[in-house]
Amino acid sequence: WRDRLLGGFKKTSDRLVGNLAGLGTGRLDEATLDEIEEALIASDLGPATAARIRDRLAEGSFERGMEDLGIRLIVSEEIEKVLERVAKPLATDAARPQVILVIGVNGSGKTTTIAKLAAILKADGLKVILAAGDTFRAAAIGQLRTWADRVGVPIVSGAEGGDAAGIAFEALKQATDQRMDVLVVDTAGRLQNKRELMDELAKIRRVLGRIDPGAPHNVLLVLDATTGQNALSQIEVFKEVAGVTGLVMTKLDGTARGGVLVAAAEKYGLPIHAIGVGETVDDLRGFDANEVARIIA
Ligand code: GDP
């Protein structure tokens, strides 16, 4: 599966390596350092990380030209430092049932990620149940149901347009009665109406909390890496409307913009629990800072 992971970051890595190409061959003067910093920002790594890498390169010990590989080594080391602070597996042992609320804009890969996550947890021997809380889109309920059947986990759902909080409440009740280990709750991702979204998510949290004051134990924000820097503004909004305890970044296989993982880690410091590198149920991977840093740069 390492190949899949390599493949998952190939475009991101090609972009970064391409942007840095040739910059290490001459003297590392101010102009070159500026170019390197710009190349890093253009690779979505974010201004803070780019500036830190520039500072390290400017420290002076590389005057005679360090070649691209030398620069990449330093870039890789600095990326790893940023990522290792946030690379944390999703903890699912805080409570029984553990409630994981999954949020994110439509199309970010929420449904697919829930299915992948359910498959992993089930393979770990946990009893998993899903709640179809995206009642806004008819297709969403059907899609989650299809995935639930495929993965082989039960699902609680209602009618389109129904009350999402009601579904979540019913699901947690069933999960408790049936001694389930993990409940994963899907939600609608309508950012067009922030007020409504905020109210809906708040209501879901409230009713879950009525059964278990600690629930939801995790609020997982799913982000689509192909949106690049836009993913950062999504973190901003969802932190505000729902509180976020951790991130999953999807679709890294289809984009050169995976560097945004680093920018997100740097700016928000939220745990990154997993990454999506494909459309099948096996394509959710734990997030390994060292591995990802070495693949990217
Ligand atoms: P939702 O609207 O947020 O629930 O998004 P979906 O789960 O329906 O995903 C939207 C599209 O993105 C679907 O076609 C998925 O197959 C695709 N998708 C989700 N995750 C990944 C991923 O990691 N890699 C790729 N290539 N496609 C993904």
Side-chain angles (χ1 to χ4, degrees):
W1 63 269
R2 208 187 133 72
D3 284 352
R4 199 61 175 262
L5 192 64
L6 279 170
F9 281 97
K10 185 166 187 331
K11 289 183 186 163
T12 295
S13 174
D14 286 352
R15 152 90 73 90
L16 178 65
V17 172
N19 284 348
L20 290 172
L23 294 175
T25 43
R27 244 175 59 83
L28 284 186
D29 53 17
E30 285 298 310
T32 309
L33 288 170
D34 284 347
E35 276 187 71
I36 291 173
E37 189 173 355
E38 280 160 30
L40 297 170
I41 290 171
S43 308
D44 289 302
L45 298 186
T49 303
R52 215 170 31 251
I53 292 170
R54 181 193 206 280
D55 290 348
R56 238 193 103 183
L57 290 169
E59 272 164 16
S61 33
F62 311 117
E63 272 183 29
R64 263 175 288 139
M66 58 190 305
E67 304 304 323
D68 291 350
L69 218 56
I71 290 186
R72 278 168 54 191
L73 187 65
I74 288 187
V75 171
S76 173
E77 279 175 19
E78 292 300 320
I79 288 178
E80 184 179 354
K81 281 187 210 161
V82 178
L83 294 183
E84 70 188 1
R85 290 198 292 268
V86 298
K88 296 190 185 110
L90 179 69
T92 52
D93 49 7
R96 286 292 174 262
Q98 174 98 11
V99 181
I100 304 173
L101 190 64
V102 182
I103 61 179
V105 300
N106 292 336
S108 61
K110 260 196 321 288
T111 312
T112 316
T113 299
I114 290 171
K116 293 168 173 173
L117 186 61
I120 290 173
L121 296 173
K122 190 183 173 205
D124 279 350
L126 299 173
K127 286 168 73 180
V128 182
I129 184 167
L130 308 183
D134 183 355
T135 54
F136 197 69
R137 293 180 301 164
I141 301 172
Q143 264 166 30
L144 193 66
R145 180 168 288 286
T146 305
W147 275 116
D149 292 346
R150 210 179 292 168
V151 175
V153 296
I155 176 169
V156 176
S157 64
E160 181 196 350
D163 177 28
I167 304 288
F169 184 79
E170 176 60 27
L172 182 51
K173 221 163 61 172
Q174 285 192 27
T176 309
D177 291 348
Q178 295 166 23
R179 300 188 177 282
M180 291 286 174
D181 297 305
V182 183
L183 164 64
V184 189
V185 182
D186 190 15
T187 61
R190 293 172 289 149
L191 261 198
Q192 304 85 327
N193 191 333
K194 210 169 116 182
R195 185 76 247 169
E196 264 179 42
L197 181 68
M198 192 186 285
D199 289 347
E200 178 162 302
L201 293 172
K203 190 171 169 199
I204 292 175
R205 297 185 72 118
R206 219 160 43 235
V207 300
L208 290 171
R210 231 178 266 157
I211 298 178
D212 175 355
H217 308 92
N218 315 71
V219 181
L220 216 57
L221 174 60
V222 177
L223 296 168
D224 173 350
T226 63
T227 65
Q229 297 297 309
N230 205 316
L232 301 182
S233 44
Q234 289 176 23
I235 297 178
E236 199 83 54
V237 174
F238 277 99
K239 254 166 56 102
E240 186 193 329
V241 301
V244 174
T245 62
L247 307 176
V248 174
M249 197 162 283
T250 65
K251 307 191 201 178
L252 283 158
D253 51 304
T255 182
R257 314 210 59 184
V260 73
L261 264 176
V262 181
E266 174 89 49
K267 187 154 185 214
Y268 296 102
L270 284 164
I272 298 175
H273 295 309
I275 50 178
V277 291
E279 293 188 274
T280 78
V281 76
D282 304 319
D283 290 326
L284 189 70
R285 297 291 144 79
F287 185 62
D288 182 319
N290 174 271
E291 198 159 44
V292 170
R294 273 186 307 172
I295 293 172
I296 293 184

